[in-house]
Amino acid sequence: DEPFSALDPLIRSRLQDELIRLQRELRRTIVFITHDFAEAIRLGDRIAVMKDGVFEQIGAPEDVVARPATPYVEAFTRDVPQSKVVRARTIMAAPQHVAGARSIGPDDTVDQLIPLLLLDHEPLVVRDPDGVAIGSVGIEQVRSVLTAVSASS
């Protein structure tokens, strides 16, 4: 229950990184309780939002933020930029073969993609953990997420 809440930001970030590494290495389910929604988004493959001891919504962070199930969840997530939670796998198009294209992972967020797209202006190739191209993300897909963010502000 909130194991990182009393830590300074640098140590907290390092421990979050370590928890992510351990979870990927050990492939075990971890139940992590936090009141810090940014931390939940960073650490969780699936998150649950509770109100008065009842689950209001359970799902992938991007689903909870983009499609809140109740007015409470909508209010709770209103200030979370979609670019921080929408992942490449959600917005990718069919794979494009561009010579020298940069590769990204399916779980990279839009915020992580923006600097790469600004460098080359070419679509990014989304690769699964085995290195197989499963899609591509270009500036248009990213623009659609950013437009949704600005429209909801």
Side-chain angles (χ1 to χ4, degrees):
D1 188 8
E2 299 196 64
F4 301 156
S5 63
L7 301 175
D8 73 67
L10 292 176
I11 293 173
R12 185 177 193 157
S13 180
R14 286 188 203 131
L15 285 174
Q16 289 171 345
D17 290 343
E18 182 64 10
L19 183 65
I20 291 167
R21 186 193 68 74
L22 283 170
Q23 197 280 329
R24 285 186 180 144
E25 181 181 310
L26 299 174
R27 298 187 161 284
R28 298 286 186 251
T29 298
I30 297 171
V31 176
F32 190 94
I33 299 169
T34 181
H35 287 91
D36 181 338
F37 198 66
E39 183 170 67
I41 289 169
R42 181 166 188 233
L43 297 177
D45 297 323
R46 294 178 47 82
I47 59 175
V49 178
M50 290 183 73
K51 177 184 175 193
D52 300 327
V54 176
F55 289 113
E56 292 279 313
Q57 187 169 354
I58 301 171
E62 64 191 294
D63 293 331
V64 172
V65 172
R67 291 176 287 288
T70 67
Y72 177 79
V73 176
E74 182 176 5
F76 196 82
T77 61
R78 184 172 290 130
D79 295 331
V80 178
Q82 289 191 22
S83 61
K84 294 194 178 301
V85 296
V86 173
R87 300 188 183 282
R89 66 177 134 73
T90 302
I91 60 170
M92 68 184 181
Q96 291 184 22
H97 299 288
V98 177
R102 292 179 187 267
S103 294
I104 59 172
D107 290 322
D108 289 353
T109 64
V110 167
D111 272 0
Q112 293 171 302
L113 308 181
I114 292 170
L116 300 173
L117 287 166
L118 291 174
L119 285 174
D120 295 336
H121 303 286
E122 294 290 339
L124 304 166
V125 177
V126 182
R127 297 190 183 278
D128 69 11
D130 296 323
V132 176
I134 58 172
S136 63
V137 175
I139 197 70
E140 288 306 315
Q141 287 94 353
V142 168
R143 184 177 289 135
S144 70
V145 172
L146 297 177
T147 302
V149 169
S150 65
S152 66
S153 298

